[in-house]
Amino acid sequence: MDKMKVAYEAMLGLAAELVLDDAVLKFQTKQIHEAIDKALATGDEDTFYRLAKQLNALKR
């Protein structure tokens, strides 16, 4: 029975890690989108391209 408990706890830990990773990815993506919008509004081409590159790296 202890082996099942250890396996369950390991799976629960992995599930929690996946949820946390997804939340962090969504937060970072939102932050970058907002910064891209700001760069576009101000005409900051360099920042736009840098942020677009970061966004593409997150999607991989």
Side-chain angles (χ1 to χ4, degrees), residues 38-51:
K38 184 177 178 182
L40 287 171
T42 61
D44 188 348
E45 191 173 325
D46 292 332
T47 300
F48 168 79
Y49 283 115
R50 179 180 53 80
L51 291 168

Side-chain angles (χ1 to χ4, degrees), residues 17-38:
E17 189 174 337
L18 287 172
V19 169
L20 182 60
D21 287 347
D22 185 57
V24 169
L25 178 62
K26 285 179 182 177
F27 175 78
Q28 289 175 334
T29 301
K30 182 181 176 199
Q31 294 295 107
I32 292 174
H33 277 157
E34 289 173 1
I36 285 174
D37 289 344
K38 184 177 178 182

